[in-house]
Amino acid sequence: MGDLGFASDTGAALPLYLVPKGGLADALSGADGGISAWAEAAGFSGKAGEALVVRGADGAATAALVGLGDATDRARRRFVLGGARAKLPKGTYHIANPGAAGADLDEAALGWLLAGYRFDRYKSQNGVEAELAAPDGIDAARIAAIASGEALTRDLINTPSSDMGPAELEAAARALAEEFGADIEVTTGQTLLEQNFPMIHAVGRASPREPRLIDITWGGEGPRLTLVGKGVCFDTGGLNLKPGSSMGLMKKDMGGAATVLGLARMIMATGAKIGLRVLIPAVENSVSGAAFRPQDVLTSRKGLTVEINNTDAEGRLVLADALAYAEEAGPDLIVSMATLTGAARVAVGPDLAPFYTDDDGHAARLAEAAAQVRDPVWRMPFWAPYETMIEPAIADLDNAPSGGFAGSITAALFLRRFVEATPYIHFDIFGWQPTAAPARPKGGVGQSARALFEALPDLLP
Ligand code: BES
Ligand code: MN
Ligand code: ZN
């Protein structure tokens, strides 16, 4: 993990000017004349992500400028300041014109911190870089909490399955719980059967790395929120083995778990008045003589029977038992996050997090919060006419309708069968940045957690 805090020593911080495209004169209206002359001589135009370092006679940096682009650029690209961080020389900066047209200080500050993220667990060195004084007028502690929640998510996803099996995911959850004084209970292996989590056990039993259900609870006050995250630590597809090209990224199939843990960190670190619970079914979907098979019929915790038509549709099975268990305790809201379907990726690509809810108010609030914090989500329908697609011949439910039409929707409808009377939001996330972008290196990435964190006070009673 890189340095994800604001500068602590801001005494000699250099001024950093945010410059919208074509807005040089306005942006520098309070600046020293030498800076304006330098910027003009350099032909600095304020293009998105453009950086300019102003130097004194001795060659040392005395100020910096970063271009914000125009409104169209900013709609297309998030975290422009974060993207420019690596172009600035080592040193501490402070934003000298926080009122710059088009500048969103929360986004600027968060992008800066997230650009400091490195997955360096397997690297021997770690460089020091430009630092930023927390801008006035933002809630710096909240932004830092969001950044470290996001960094936790990235670290968990990026860690290869060899070091991130169900036991290691449990260890990460335990470390988080301990840091914030949360309670944690874990049900493992055969005990899953005794405690009636048959589908979590069935999906995970082929692996020598035992399946488990991780259960964190924190905070006594306020409305009760339960987060459920898919923790498939590696998804081979099971007996319906994935081809190599599809299996390549499947260390990230615990992306839902990683994202709910990152969100839990944001909630706990900011001391939100929420009674929080996090449930993570953690398994490896593996291949062995003990594996569950196509055409097996499983009886879920809830009692609904499920015909297995594809062992690669395993996420909905482990989530189903966790969702049923979540509802038994009567929370005010249940949210699931899961790298559930390839169909969601085909539909919306890697950036957008599709979500499902029956509550139009929740959907509107989430969309608004997502735009505000630049964590894009997109509503999809729990389309009731497709319910028949998940009702096969010999059991209550089919885990993998043939034909594959509307794959993300039918997966969401499957999950909804296990939440009867509690407000429910489901995110079908990707959890992976395929090519580097500002503040997001290639690799694991959180999706929808920041949007949900922002909207939460309005989603809970
Ligand atoms: N983990 C995958 C879904 C996935 C694949 C997410 C690629 C992101 C990228 C999931 O377990 C899966 O394999 N789903 C199948 C379901 C199908 C067999 C009904 C899928 O989407 O193909
Ligand atoms: Mn699968
Ligand atoms: Zn999966």
Side-chain angles (χ1 to χ4, degrees):
M1 211 190 276
D3 176 16
L4 289 167
F6 294 105
S8 44
D9 178 10
T10 59
L14 301 176
L16 187 160
Y17 295 90
L18 303 174
V19 184
K21 199 171 191 168
L24 190 63
D26 272 356
L28 296 184
S29 59
D32 181 288
I35 296 177
S36 301
W38 182 288
E40 268 159 42
F44 188 83
S45 66
K47 268 199 315 229
E50 185 183 7
L52 178 70
V53 181
V54 182
R55 296 187 181 277
D58 61 355
T62 56
L65 283 66
V66 171
L68 297 179
D70 59 20
T72 311
D73 297 328
R74 289 193 295 277
R76 286 192 180 187
R77 187 136 68 118
R78 297 179 257 167
F79 303 127
V80 168
L81 179 62
R85 178 175 175 182
K87 299 177 183 169
L88 302 179
K90 200 168 123 177
T92 302
Y93 299 83
H94 71 94
I95 296 175
N97 62 333
D104 173 336
L105 288 187
D106 282 329
E107 182 195 349
L110 179 63
W112 180 282
L113 295 188
L114 291 179
Y117 174 81
R118 303 282 178 277
F119 183 61
D120 50 15
R121 173 168 175 159
Y122 303 99
K123 295 243 193 224
S124 42
Q125 47 203 27
N126 185 5
V128 186
E129 25 178 352
E131 288 199 80
L132 187 72
D136 288 339
I138 69 162
D139 184 341
R142 179 180 169 91
I143 297 291
I146 292 170
S148 65
E150 168 70 21
L152 172 63
T153 299
R154 293 181 186 182
D155 276 348
L156 293 174
I157 297 175
N158 285 331
T159 303
S161 186
S162 49
D163 287 323
M164 190 51 68
E168 291 87 353
L169 188 55
E170 172 186 335
R174 283 192 186 280
L176 182 69
E178 190 168 328
E179 184 177 347
F180 293 100
D183 291 324
I184 179 164
E185 271 178 42
V186 180
T187 308
T188 307
Q190 203 61 23
T191 316
L192 287 167
L193 288 178
E194 288 156 23
Q195 304 289 325
N196 193 22
F197 297 103
M199 297 210 294
I200 299 175
H201 184 267
V203 172
R205 74 189 184 206
S207 173
R209 306 203 287 179
E210 284 191 307
R212 61 206 69 205
L213 177 65
I214 300 164
D215 184 352
I216 300 174
T217 47
W218 175 87
E221 289 171 77
R224 294 165 65 214
L225 166 68
T226 299
L227 305 174
V228 181
K230 173 177 172 181
V232 175
C233 293
F234 196 79
D235 183 9
T236 66
L239 292 176
N240 292 111
L241 196 67
K242 285 181 184 290
S245 56
S246 306
M247 206 189 297
L249 267 182
M250 284 299 121
K251 71 172 183 182
K252 78 170 178 70
D253 212 21
M254 33 58 75
T259 307
V260 298
L261 287 173
L263 174 57
R265 172 175 256 291
M266 296 173 201
I267 290 170
M268 296 190 292
T270 52
K273 297 272 175 288
I274 291 174
L276 176 67
R277 185 179 197 193
V278 179
L279 289 172
I280 295 172
V283 303
E284 179 171 13
N285 187 20
S286 193
V287 182
S288 81
F292 74 125
R293 314 160 193 84
Q295 293 188 311
D296 281 356
V297 173
L298 305 179
T299 301
S300 66
R301 176 179 186 85
K302 201 174 174 59
L304 291 169
T305 57
V306 181
E307 181 177 338
I308 303 306
N309 279 304
N310 194 322
T311 60
D312 198 8
E314 83 296 339
R316 68 198 73 186
L317 303 174
V318 298
L319 289 169
D321 277 354
L323 287 168
Y325 187 48
E327 185 165 51
E328 289 164 22
D332 295 300
L333 175 67
I334 298 175
V335 178
S336 56
M337 293 183 176
T339 51
L340 201 60
T341 69
R345 268 351 85 197
V346 175
V348 299
D351 266 19
L352 281 168
F355 72 96
Y356 296 81
T357 170
D358 283 318
D359 186 319
D360 294 344
H362 284 184
R365 179 64 194 114
L366 265 173
E368 180 186 53
Q372 187 189 333
V373 303
R374 309 219 67 178
D375 183 16
V377 301
W378 204 263
R379 188 183 190 182
M380 299 271 280
F382 274 128
W383 186 249
Y386 293 166
E387 293 279 5
T388 53
M389 291 192 195
I390 58 172
E391 291 163 355
I394 72 160
D396 295 323
L397 292 168
D398 180 338
N399 82 325
S402 63
F405 284 138
S408 177
I409 297 176
T410 53
L413 289 171
F414 184 99
L415 296 182
R416 192 175 65 166
R417 293 290 183 105
F418 295 85
V419 183
E420 252 167 330
T422 309
Y424 175 47
I425 305 172
H426 160 61
F427 290 89
D428 192 340
I429 61 175
F430 191 49
W432 191 259
Q433 183 66 33
T435 50
R440 283 158 297 153
K442 178 178 172 178
V445 73
Q447 285 186 295
S448 73
R450 293 187 299 106
L452 190 62
F453 184 53
E454 183 65 28
L456 263 185
D458 301 313
L459 305 181
L460 291 165

